[in-house]
Amino acid sequence: LVSMPRAFHGFGSRSAWAVCMLRVALATVYFQEEFLDGGEEGNRWVQSTNDSQIGHFRLSSGKFYGHKEKDKGLQTTQNGQFYAISARFKPFSNKGKTLVIQYTVKHEQKMDCGGGYIKVFPADVDQKNLNGKSQYYIMFGPDICGFDIRKVHVILHFKNQYHSNKKSIRCKVDGFTHLYALILRPDLTYEVKIDGQSIESGGIEYDWNLTSLKKMEKTSAESKDWEQVEDSKSQDWEKHFLDASASKPSDWNSELDGDWQAPMLQKPPYQDGLKPEGIDKDIWLHQKMKNTNYLTEYDLSEFENIGAIGLELWQVRSGTIFDNFLITDDEEYAENFGKATWGETKGPEREMDAIQAKEEVKKAREEDEQDLLMGRFGGQENIFQRFHKRDEL
């Protein structure tokens, strides 16, 4: 069974329903789009009118494809333009849930400089005025410009700031369709997949540039926790704390014995009104902060009002096709959906491209041979004309 909100769109293909049948657990599909019914029309996808120079999309499967109808998607059509288009769905919160964002992108024009990423927006985004300054929650996908920039962006909005993954994640740069997936889990781990293969993963706390945030939140937490200790007037107040004078034994093997920690000492009971003097504040708080995971309470990957997905990007040369959009809370469903869409057409797409390439080579050879023959006949004609003119003289 699959739970699908009323605002769920584009779910009409047999392959997609087959994916549903594969699911055993309950999955929530917040948004899914295959453009099988002309999904760019009507109110589903809204073109921004923020600027009269914004480029236009068309529904196309491109010059080569695996299936003419299944491979139709939103294609950029004008060179040197900004693009901005979006689609709404029923708002939701991913608090305490896995969030999977997945789509396919095809740089048929062999991208030289431009974006191929998507953005996930709050439900209150102004679609008609969508532009580069519109606040988004997540930005994910490939960005290419020359030989220097060939990366996959993973940007999260946290505390009114945008934070990028600090790892270098390389994207695909050929002209074929590729499947991109971002997984954000409630345990603050993440994973980036390309074509169904995991290419990067880790902890959000460590792989994003959050150093300043850590310092800020740690300082705040330290002050709050120490004030609670200072104000403690329990009649039977006891506290364990680290033995600052202890040192790691010389024969300690971290691989076998694990990380070494100083032994804990216990302070004698304090009577009402007495302060916990003698406890090293830094040592006590270090141990406390280590155990509380203070950053987890600030929802680094949780968003309360997700309600739209869109393309807001710049391209020097147009021709990119975006398709098979999916937002769900189920990793297995996303994997099966990818297999039922991109997985079914990736092979035929390459076959069609190979056939076209052979035909182009054959046509080029025929044109060269024709030019060569024309050159020969042209040369003989010139010789005839020269002799004819000489006889006239």
Side-chain angles (χ1 to χ4, degrees), residues 378-388:
Q380 292 176 358
E381 183 178 353
N382 289 337
I383 293 174
F384 174 78
Q385 289 177 351
R386 288 200 300 271
F387 277 104
H388 182 69

Side-chain angles (χ1 to χ4, degrees), residues 90-254:
K90 185 177 180 180
F92 72 95
S93 168
N94 70 312
K95 187 172 183 179
K97 300 179 181 179
T98 295
L99 178 64
V100 184
I101 301 169
Q102 183 172 284
Y103 72 110
T104 58
V105 58
K106 174 186 179 185
H107 293 311
E108 186 174 81
Q109 75 279 36
K110 302 291 181 66
M111 175 71 77
D112 51 358
C113 189
Y117 43 80
I118 62 174
K119 291 182 177 181
V120 175
F121 299 94
D124 59 358
V125 64
D126 185 350
Q127 291 181 278
K128 287 289 187 179
N129 195 42
L130 187 68
N131 59 78
K133 295 182 179 180
S134 300
Q135 180 192 327
Y136 60 86
Y137 284 146
I138 301 169
M139 174 174 158
F140 169 63
D143 192 10
I144 300 171
C145 197
F147 293 98
D148 297 330
I149 301 177
R150 297 185 172 191
K151 65 180 296 183
V152 177
H153 287 293
V154 188
I155 301 176
L156 305 179
H157 185 264
F158 175 63
K159 284 192 172 293
N160 298 318
Q161 296 182 24
Y162 295 112
H163 302 275
S164 300
N165 186 298
K166 62 185 178 183
K167 291 183 177 179
S168 178
I169 307 176
R170 187 174 176 82
C171 65
K172 300 291 185 179
V173 295
D174 57 44
F176 298 106
T177 301
H178 292 286
L179 179 69
Y180 285 82
L182 170 64
I183 304 170
L184 302 176
R185 303 185 181 97
D187 63 355
L188 287 184
T189 62
Y190 75 97
E191 187 171 6
V192 175
K193 292 183 176 181
I194 299 181
D195 296 345
Q197 301 297 317
S198 178
I199 62 169
E200 193 57 77
S201 62
I204 295 176
E205 180 181 353
Y206 305 102
D207 289 353
W208 265 256
N209 296 316
L210 298 172
T211 304
S212 60
L213 290 172
K214 290 180 182 180
K215 290 180 179 179
M216 177 181 66
E217 304 302 348
K218 183 176 180 179
T219 300
S220 175
E222 284 180 353
S223 299
K224 181 179 179 180
D225 288 331
W226 188 249
E227 287 175 359
Q228 291 177 354
V229 174
E230 291 286 336
D231 294 338
S232 175
K233 295 183 181 298
S234 171
Q235 292 184 357
D236 189 23
W237 188 88
E238 296 184 4
K239 179 61 62 179
H240 289 80
F241 64 101
L242 292 175
D243 184 358
S245 63
S247 60
K248 183 170 69 174
S250 59
D251 59 347
W252 187 274
N253 188 321
S254 298

Side-chain angles (χ1 to χ4, degrees), residues 3-72:
S3 172
M4 293 175 290
R6 181 178 57 82
F8 166 80
H9 298 298
F11 195 76
S13 70
R14 294 181 179 179
S15 62
W17 279 113
V19 172
C20 292
M21 300 303 295
L22 294 175
R23 293 294 301 121
V24 177
L26 183 67
T28 301
V29 178
Y30 303 107
F31 181 81
Q32 188 167 300
E33 177 66 90
E34 298 178 70
F35 299 103
L36 297 176
D37 59 351
E40 86 289 6
E41 300 296 336
N43 295 324
R44 191 185 309 174
W45 290 88
V46 178
Q47 175 85 33
S48 174
T49 56
N50 174 263
D51 189 332
S52 60
Q53 300 300 315
I54 287 181
H56 292 279
F57 289 91
R58 67 182 174 192
L59 195 63
S60 174
S61 52
K63 297 177 181 178
F64 59 94
Y65 41 80
H67 189 285
K68 188 172 183 179
E69 295 302 320
K70 292 181 180 180
D71 284 348
K72 281 185 177 180

Side-chain angles (χ1 to χ4, degrees), residues 237-281:
W237 188 88
E238 296 184 4
K239 179 61 62 179
H240 289 80
F241 64 101
L242 292 175
D243 184 358
S245 63
S247 60
K248 183 170 69 174
S250 59
D251 59 347
W252 187 274
N253 188 321
S254 298
E255 295 183 358
L256 298 177
D257 303 323
D259 295 335
W260 181 84
Q261 290 187 349
M264 302 296 293
L265 300 179
Q266 182 174 345
K267 200 71 176 177
Y270 285 84
Q271 300 300 318
D272 186 25
L274 297 179
K275 298 293 183 69
E277 298 175 356
I279 297 180
D280 190 312
K281 174 181 176 181

